[in-house]
Amino acid sequence: MNEMLRSALVGLVVLAGFAPLSSFAQDASCTCATAYQGANPIGSIGNINGDVMVSQVAGYGPAQAGGALDFGSRVVVGGKGSASVRVGGCNLSVPANSTLDISRVEDKICLNVLGSEKTAQTGNANGNNNNNTPLFIFGGMALGAGILAATADKHHGVSQ
């Protein structure tokens, strides 16, 4: 295969493989991310069951259904508790023994459930969870490996 064409393909694969990683790097730690619309408060607490605390100006206090949430808010759920939270297009169920942190990443609101991530349920306002980022990253890497293997020059090695 022509060396120039091969170099161009390798360059394209490298760009395609690494560009998505940097653009999704800040969203990787978000359980759910939604656009910031400039509203204050940015969300609220829905249902509360059991031991649930929320950060306030003077520390932590008991969470209340309908309580306002803003950037920097933290919802802490005890061992026998659960809570639901709605912020923008994110509806989260926060399970027992976990913490929900709310932060701002560029022009997005980042909700991050820590502790019992495996049982956290996420979704947008319609209940759909369409985050295919890991699938696209893996697919790009597999495609790049396939192109490199197909274009490898097996007959003109350096040491023959």
Side-chain angles (χ1 to χ4, degrees), residues 20-143:
L21 290 177
S22 62
S23 64
F24 293 116
Q26 293 183 346
D27 290 338
S29 65
C30 298
T31 303
C32 185
T34 186
Y36 176 53
Q37 303 295 327
N40 284 328
I42 59 172
S44 62
I45 300 172
N47 297 323
I48 297 172
N49 295 312
D51 185 25
V52 180
M53 305 290 278
V54 66
S55 61
Q56 299 174 339
V57 175
Y60 286 89
Q64 296 179 359
L69 297 170
D70 211 334
F71 293 112
S73 291
R74 176 175 278 180
V75 178
V76 180
V77 180
K80 295 183 179 181
S82 66
S84 64
V85 173
R86 181 180 177 122
V87 177
C90 294
N91 294 315
L92 289 177
S93 177
V94 187
N97 294 321
S98 61
T99 301
L100 170 72
D101 289 325
I102 302 174
S103 61
R104 184 171 182 172
V105 177
E106 295 177 5
D107 61 342
K108 294 182 181 180
I109 303 169
C110 175
L111 285 78
N112 191 16
V113 177
L114 304 170
S116 297
E117 293 92 353
K118 293 181 182 176
T119 59
Q121 298 173 357
T122 65
N124 63 17
N126 298 325
N128 298 326
N129 186 7
N130 296 323
N131 185 0
N132 293 323
T133 302
L135 179 64
F136 291 130
I137 291 171
F138 179 75
M141 291 170 50
L143 177 64

